[in-house]
Amino acid sequence: AKKEKTSARRAKQDLASCKNLLSCLECHEHAWPFLLPVNTKQFPQYKKAIKTPMDLSTIKRKLQEGSYKHKGEFASDVRLIFSNCEEFNEDYSPVGRAGHCMRQYFEQQWAQM
Ligand SMILES: CO[C@H](O)CCc1ccc(O)cc1
């Protein structure tokens, strides 16, 4: 029972850390392209090009719904945002640069978790 308690406590702590890190991502000045799903009605080419869209509001919902079994799954979805961004945008476009900046920020914070 002791072992289960510590692992349940760690899972609780990890969830809190993921929620906190997500809030930091959401209020980052370069988060604007990633806050909501890309409007695939407005950009049909995006729907065709990007097989698995991801954005910060979707990750927030998934955290709240308990969709992530492990914090690594949370990190994979965050990284999916930035790999989708690199696929669709030129490195030096406004969105492309925002993606590189946000990825660097995320990896810095993630390494300290
Ligand atoms: C997270 O943003 C997406 O990478 C797509 C942004 C975008 C959509 C249409 C454009 O003409 C340019 C950028």
Side-chain angles (χ1 to χ4, degrees):
K2 187 138 168 43
K3 215 157 55 60
E4 286 73 43
K5 223 162 76 181
T6 47
S7 67
R9 196 181 307 124
R10 197 172 344 103
K12 210 163 153 46
Q13 177 52 45
D14 285 351
L15 179 63
S17 303
C18 289
K19 284 180 175 175
N20 178 54
L21 179 42
L22 180 73
S23 302
C24 295
L25 293 172
E26 286 174 321
C27 66
H28 193 288
E29 91 173 272
H30 299 302
W32 53 273
F34 314 109
L35 295 172
L36 295 172
V38 174
N39 185 330
T40 52
K41 301 256 182 315
Q42 198 182 345
F43 304 116
Q45 72 273 36
Y46 191 86
K47 187 172 177 62
K48 180 96 182 67
I50 300 299
K51 295 308 165 209
T52 317
M54 188 48 63
D55 71 284
L56 295 171
S57 74
T58 299
I59 292 175
K60 187 172 198 166
R61 177 181 54 72
K62 289 176 77 171
L63 273 172
Q64 282 161 346
E65 290 170 354
S67 302
Y68 299 122
K69 295 300 315 135
H70 186 270
K71 66 181 181 183
E73 294 171 12
F74 162 81
S76 296
D77 266 357
V78 175
R79 289 169 178 144
L80 176 59
I81 294 176
F82 304 134
S83 36
N84 287 345
C85 183
E86 281 207 49
E87 206 174 315
F88 196 76
N89 303 278
E90 296 292 331
D91 284 337
Y92 293 99
S93 65
V95 173
R97 276 185 290 118
H100 290 302
C101 177
M102 289 299 289
R103 179 203 293 280
Q104 193 176 19
Y105 176 74
F106 168 74
E107 294 300 347
Q108 240 167 29
Q109 300 304 311
W110 179 252
Q112 291 165 37
M113 255 179 58

